[in-house]
Amino acid sequence: MFLQVSFAQQRQEIELGEGWKFYKGQVASASLKEFNDKKWQSVQVPHDWAIYGPFDKEVDKQVVAIMQNGEKVPTEKTGRTGSLPHIGDAWYRNYFTVPGFQKGKRVLILFEGAMSEPKIFVNGTKVGEWNYGYNYFYFDITDHIQSGKNTLAVSLSNKPLASRWYPGAGLFRKVKLIVKNEESIDQWGTFITTPYISDTQAKVNVKTRATGSNLRIETTILDAQGKTVASSKTEETFGKEFDQNIAVANPKLWSPESPYLYTAVSRLYSGNTLKDELSTRFGIRHINYDPKTGFSLNGKVRKFKGVCLHHDLGPLGSAINISALRRQLRILKDMGCDAVRSSHNMPSLEQLQLCDEMGLMFLAETFDEWAKPKVKNGYNRFFNTDAEKDVVNLIQATRNHPSIVMWSSGNEVPDQFGSEGVKRAKWLQDIFHREDPTRPVTVGMDQVKATMASGFGALLDIPGLNYRTHLYEDAFKAFPQGLILGSETASTVSSRGVYKFPVVKAAEKQYPDHQCSSYDMEYCSWSNLPEDDFILQDTKPWVIGQFVWTGFDYLGEPTPYDNFWPARSSYFGINDLAGLPKDRFYLYRSQWNTKENTLHILPHWNWEGREGQVTPVFVYTNYDSAELFLNGKSLGVQKKNDSSPQSRYRLMWMDVKYEPGTLKVVAYDKTGRAAAEKSIVTAGKPSKIVLEADRNVINADGNDISFVTVSVVDKDGNPCPTANQQLNFKVSGNATYRAACNGDATSLEQFHLPTMKLFSGKLVVLVQSTRKAGDIELLVEGKGLQSGLARLKSK
């Protein structure tokens, strides 16, 4: 398949998504133009070669002591990088033509991420290489373009002991060709800031780097409806950079509550000839970090209600899919979340685009390692040679996103100890300041005492503390900034719909089934429960917010079961790997979503064999008090109080004895009147499969996905929370079955096969569109169950 590029416009950006050939393994001659790849696998990019499995304990078995977890003695670890076959070498090949290619044109090849250590060949000639798999990079391939068919070949290599989590594998983000004139705006050459904002006027500063002679720039600013609101033109440059200040009257400001976006259209002329045109979306907003008031956005003080996110998309692996990203962010917004930290790597451009559009502030992170290693073959191998160019590419590629309000130059780096680490921290921070003077820099610090002693924490713009809630006061006194950010918080662990007895607060608790209790009372030796962070946010004005570990479960790091098999994904998520909310979702929602009421009961009420035994009931709600009823009998009113951190934010009936039937909670408002109620019942035998799609109409673009939640109910329609039947899936019409996920961290079922067991009564099926519009049907069947049918459409 050839991709043809034409020159009807001054600039063309062409995504190389189709027509790729893939081979896992080493092939000495695969870079050559005449190499025969017809027998290779045909794939679409973005692509993750490892997500198809199978899961294998031997893939990432390590004997190691994890330093940041405080371990002193090495033990065998499994599942640390997801137990998926990501290690090894692979090749990708594709073809394109550039008809009418002529002198005066430039051709760039842009990779938005390639895992990992990519080497790029055009027509058999190596045009460049990059080491960091998470970084965006490009090469000018003009001198290597030939008339007719051109060959693009990419070599990738994933080494063992190179990551602490599932890194994915392959061309997992987009690849693009950029064709433009010789006289043109440089790649990532536009930098837009809003240094002055009032109610009536905003100054929009547009810096534009361009190549050529006798140039002038015309910049037009459009509002969200495409109407021109301001414009400016100039021939004056400073070096090769234009610098324009453009007044926008009555600006509409960007915020999580109102994510208003403008577009700057830059037109570059040489003499009277239009040579290049580029559109850049941006927001008008003002950020401020002040020791007296904390963090403010557009003059309003607020605290980050944020989560950390790893880059994998559960059953899709690391391959970027914008509908999966959008679903994640929609779930987080409903929880009341207003910020995301990319952990611990550079975010995808699609994620930033969506955060701009949907209204989530962003903490963009760079590295999990500097010069000192956490894992043998990690980024430490490249830090001294590559860190500056990697940081520069991050900033220049993403700095126009209004969602980004802070940078992070590292996470829990071992360099926190000693003077060399202090120098590295300053060196990196200076690069950020040079490339972007408008945003502060933080580091997620877990060795807080060491950073107090060395001066490491004192030099940062914003000190970020990972956990260590008992050291917040000491850090506030020791550091001069007057601000502390909870850069990583909680790490509470739970398995959706799984409850353990007795209900007690516990660290590193393990069970024979390798699950964690969803009573939300279990955490790691180095972490804590959510309430500890809520209290700091609520009582310390100098704590400017938090980023909870994590918004969603992710592949790899199955703490506290990283020394038990099977366990291949995390338990930290507020939502599970399928994107289904755990109970903890509603605890955070009760605190963070201030526009809508929350009333949630746990546990489920199907406990055959526990009759007469103590089965505590928790309620997560924004209301201050509620009354619990079991089969019509009141079990009393509970009111939030200060007797313990948990009782400040949860309503808890600790002595309820289980009997089957109906459990009902009635919440009371501040006047004592009943304001809301919710019931759960003991379900009968599983009878019927029920399907609920997040979207019934999807785009016929070959990439869009409908996420269909599959549940089992009894004959009366009551959810069956312990159902675990094997189900089979069949998609017909204008879509394909893409994957399924049940959120069980111990499941070794492969995501892409059309069968999977329910976990705690639920799972999610992903239905992906084709390029043909029309009707779609998903049929779900299970032995002894009435089948479920979902009718969808693509257009």
Side-chain angles (χ1 to χ4, degrees):
M1 176 181 176
F2 297 150
L3 177 73
Q4 295 198 351
V5 181
S6 64
F7 295 106
Q9 302 174 11
Q10 284 72 31
R11 171 185 291 257
Q12 292 265 311
E13 288 199 8
I14 307 98
E15 182 180 342
L16 299 180
E18 307 287 342
W20 287 92
K21 290 290 189 174
F22 168 75
Y23 181 81
K24 175 79 182 294
Q26 294 182 340
V27 184
S29 57
S31 65
L32 301 179
K33 181 175 183 178
E34 61 272 15
F35 179 82
N36 187 346
D37 58 22
K38 289 185 178 179
K39 293 184 179 180
W40 286 15
Q41 180 185 357
S42 295
V43 299
Q44 182 174 316
V45 168
H47 177 248
D48 179 352
W49 82 59
I51 194 58
Y52 302 98
F55 295 100
D56 185 351
K57 173 183 177 180
E58 302 301 318
V59 165
D60 52 11
K61 187 169 67 176
Q62 305 174 19
V63 178
V64 64
I66 301 176
M67 182 200 70
Q68 64 268 29
N69 290 3
E71 297 178 358
K72 304 294 184 183
V73 179
T75 58
E76 181 179 283
K77 303 293 195 298
T78 56
R80 201 176 182 201
T81 56
S83 297
L84 288 163
H86 71 279
I87 296 168
D89 301 320
W91 282 90
Y92 291 83
R93 286 170 57 90
N94 207 341
Y95 307 90
F96 62 92
T97 62
V98 186
F101 182 69
Q102 55 189 302
K103 186 176 180 180
K105 294 290 184 181
R106 309 303 298 179
V107 181
L108 309 183
I109 184 81
L110 168 66
F111 291 81
E112 295 182 2
M115 190 62 67
S116 58
E117 301 180 42
K119 296 176 175 60
I120 315 302
F121 301 84
V122 173
N123 294 322
T125 299
K126 183 179 176 182
V127 298
E129 61 184 280
W130 207 266
N131 289 317
Y132 194 32
Y134 293 107
N135 205 193
Y136 340 96
F137 62 93
Y138 65 93
F139 300 113
D140 189 323
I141 59 173
T142 307
D143 295 340
H144 305 285
I145 295 297
Q146 300 174 1
S147 62
K149 183 174 74 170
N150 290 268
T151 303
L152 172 63
V154 183
S155 167
L156 295 170
S157 179
N158 277 0
K159 290 181 172 55
L161 303 176
S163 180
R164 297 192 298 118
W165 57 84
Y166 176 68
L171 297 178
F172 72 111
R173 294 177 181 170
K174 289 182 178 179
V175 181
K176 292 180 180 177
L177 281 175
I178 300 169
V179 185
K180 59 180 185 173
N181 288 312
E182 188 83 47
E183 302 93 341
S184 59
I185 298 168
D186 292 356
Q187 181 66 17
W188 306 326
T190 303
F191 185 20
I192 302 177
T193 59
T194 53
Y196 172 80
I197 302 171
S198 71
D199 291 340
T200 58
Q201 190 179 64
K203 179 168 80 172
V204 177
N205 179 257
V206 184
K207 293 181 172 64
T208 310
R209 293 195 318 270
T211 299
S213 58
N214 190 28
L215 299 177
R216 78 173 189 277
I217 192 87
E218 294 186 3
T219 301
T220 302
I221 296 179
L222 311 177
D223 65 14
Q225 288 72 46
K227 178 183 176 183
T228 298
V229 294
S231 62
S232 171
K233 62 178 71 174
T234 185
E235 298 178 357
E236 185 176 7
T237 61
F238 301 87
K240 56 180 292 189
E241 184 176 79
F242 296 99
D243 192 338
Q244 298 170 282
N245 288 309
I246 306 172
V248 174
N250 304 313
K252 295 181 179 179
L253 306 188
W254 185 95
S255 71
E257 294 72 32
S258 180
Y260 195 90
L261 294 172
Y262 291 86
T263 300
V265 180
S266 303
R267 295 184 177 91
L268 185 73
Y269 292 85
S270 178
N272 293 321
T273 303
L274 178 63
K275 290 293 185 177
D276 199 7
E277 181 174 320
L278 186 66
S279 294
T280 306
R281 288 200 317 179
F282 70 99
I284 297 176
R285 58 108 177 100
H286 180 258
I287 57 173
N288 188 49
Y289 297 82
D290 189 307
K292 295 180 180 178
T293 56
F295 168 68
S296 62
L297 176 68
N298 300 328
K300 297 179 180 179
V301 175
R302 61 190 299 157
K303 298 197 176 191
F304 294 110
K305 299 182 290 188
V307 300
C308 301
L309 290 182
H310 262 307
H311 74 299
D312 79 68
L313 294 170
L316 296 174
S318 64
I320 278 299
N321 180 278
I322 199 162
S323 58
L325 286 167
R326 184 181 286 109
R327 173 179 178 251
Q328 280 193 340
L329 299 180
R330 190 184 298 123
I331 291 167
L332 293 176
K333 287 281 286 187
D334 178 62
M335 188 176 73
C337 175
D338 66 5
V340 169
R341 173 189 180 217
S342 63
S343 311
H344 305 288
N345 44 260
M346 300 173 180
S348 70
L349 300 182
E350 289 88 347
Q351 188 178 42
L352 293 173
Q353 170 193 329
L354 288 171
C355 286
D356 289 346
E357 294 173 1
M358 298 174 69
L360 286 124
M361 296 178 288
F362 209 92
L363 170 50
E365 196 154 78
T366 49
F367 311 120
D368 190 51
E369 285 185 359
W370 292 351
K372 291 185 177 181
K374 292 180 184 177
V375 290
K376 178 182 177 181
N377 291 318
Y379 189 76
N380 64 87
R381 294 180 294 142
F382 312 123
F383 179 82
N384 290 328
T385 56
D386 291 15
E388 181 168 6
K389 70 176 185 177
D390 283 334
V391 169
V392 168
N393 276 21
L394 165 70
I395 298 171
Q396 292 189 0
T398 68
R399 59 191 173 183
N400 294 319
H401 289 278
S403 54
I404 298 179
V405 295
M406 195 186 306
W407 305 109
S408 170
S409 62
N411 170 71
E412 296 182 0
V413 293
D415 314 66
Q416 289 168 88
F417 297 92
S419 60
E420 285 302 311
V422 177
K423 294 173 183 175
R424 290 180 190 122
K426 185 178 187 305
W427 175 68
L428 284 170
Q429 185 164 275
D430 287 347
I431 296 170
F432 277 99
H433 289 170
R434 181 191 75 206
E435 297 296 322
D436 175 19
T438 71
R439 298 174 175 95
V441 181
T442 190
V443 170
M445 301 182 294
D446 62 329
Q447 304 299 321
V448 179
K449 289 184 178 179
T451 64
M452 287 193 283
S454 68
F456 185 109
L459 72 86
L460 299 174
D461 295 331
I462 305 292
L465 268 59
N466 285 11
Y467 316 105
R468 312 302 188 263
T469 54
H470 63 289
L471 293 176
Y472 268 54
E473 290 279 2
D474 292 342
F476 174 65
K477 294 174 184 176
F479 297 148
Q481 297 92 332
L483 301 171
I484 298 291
L485 171 69
S487 45
E488 194 169 310
T489 64
S491 273
T492 302
V493 291
S494 62
S495 301
R496 178 183 54 79
V498 175
Y499 305 92
K500 302 295 187 179
F501 306 97
V503 179
V504 293
K505 184 177 176 181
E508 300 291 325
K509 186 71 173 176
Q510 296 172 336
Y511 302 94
D513 62 357
H514 299 175
Q515 303 293 350
C516 298
S517 178
S518 199
Y519 274 105
D520 301 323
M521 296 288 282
E522 297 173 6
Y523 54 100
C524 302
S525 60
W526 33 267
S527 65
N528 52 272
L529 298 182
E531 287 82 5
D532 299 328
D533 297 298
F534 287 153
I535 290 170
L536 286 168
Q537 312 300 315
D538 291 346
T539 63
K540 308 296 182 185
W542 40 269
V543 176
I544 62 173
Q546 64 169 313
F547 289 85
V548 181
W549 192 262
T550 52
F552 291 80
D553 279 338
Y554 55 94
L555 292 162
E557 283 195 319
T559 310
Y561 295 108
D562 52 9
N563 55 349
F564 291 92
W565 181 257
R568 47 69 171 154
S569 59
S570 76
Y571 299 80
F572 297 117
I574 294 170
N575 300 275
D576 72 14
L577 197 70
L580 296 171
K582 302 180 186 180
D583 292 293
R584 206 164 357 121
F585 173 93
Y586 300 97
L587 178 60
Y588 282 98
R589 191 180 193 274
S590 70
Q591 298 303 307
W592 285 0
N593 187 332
T594 57
K595 293 184 178 180
E596 298 173 291
N597 293 319
T598 298
L599 187 59
H600 177 74
I601 313 173
L602 64 132
H604 63 71
W605 212 239
N606 272 58
W607 294 105
E608 185 176 357
R610 285 193 62 83
E611 288 82 3
Q613 297 184 44
V614 172
T615 306
V617 174
F618 290 4
V619 170
Y620 296 158
T621 181
N622 58 303
Y623 294 104
D624 288 334
S625 64
E627 187 171 5
L628 186 68
F629 299 85
L630 178 54
N631 293 327
K633 179 183 178 182
S634 175
L635 301 184
V637 174
Q638 291 288 342
K639 185 176 177 64
K640 293 175 184 176
N641 60 78
D642 294 335
S643 62
S644 72
Q646 281 63 55
S647 61
R648 289 181 64 155
Y649 300 96
R650 317 184 195 201
L651 300 175
M652 301 180 291
W653 289 260
M654 297 300 296
D655 57 356
V656 178
K657 291 183 179 179
Y658 176 69
E659 63 180 60
T662 300
L663 193 67
K664 183 175 78 170
V665 64
V666 177
Y668 298 114
D669 64 19
K670 295 185 183 301
T671 68
R673 290 184 297 183
E677 67 175 57
K678 189 166 188 179
S679 298
I680 56 175
V681 303
T682 305
K685 181 181 177 181
S687 174
K688 179 183 178 181
I689 297 170
V690 177
L691 309 184
E692 182 181 0
D694 72 329
R695 293 158 62 229
N696 291 307
V697 180
I698 58 178
N699 297 317
D701 59 6
N703 295 305
D704 204 3
I705 294 175
S706 177
F707 292 79
V708 183
T709 299
V710 180
S711 308
V712 170
V713 298
D714 66 13
K715 63 181 178 60
D716 297 319
N718 300 307
C720 299
T722 61
N724 62 356
Q725 286 91 337
Q726 190 80 33
L727 302 182
N728 300 307
F729 321 118
K730 183 179 179 181
V731 175
S732 57
N734 297 296
T736 59
Y737 169 79
R738 179 64 179 85
C741 186
N742 60 13
D744 180 2
T746 71
S747 173
L748 301 183
E749 294 186 275
Q750 292 168 268
F751 301 123
H752 70 288
L753 299 180
T755 181
M756 186 167 284
K757 289 181 71 171
L758 292 157
F759 179 64
S760 296
K762 291 181 181 291
L763 56 77
V764 174
V765 174
L766 284 65
V767 178
Q768 185 165 327
S769 69
T770 63
R771 294 189 180 277
K772 186 177 179 181
D775 294 333
I776 302 164
E777 287 189 350
L778 167 64
L779 176 67
V780 182
E781 299 176 305
K783 186 176 180 180
L785 298 170
Q786 182 180 336
S787 61
L789 183 67
R791 290 185 172 89
L792 313 172
K793 285 185 178 294
S794 64
K795 65 177 185 179

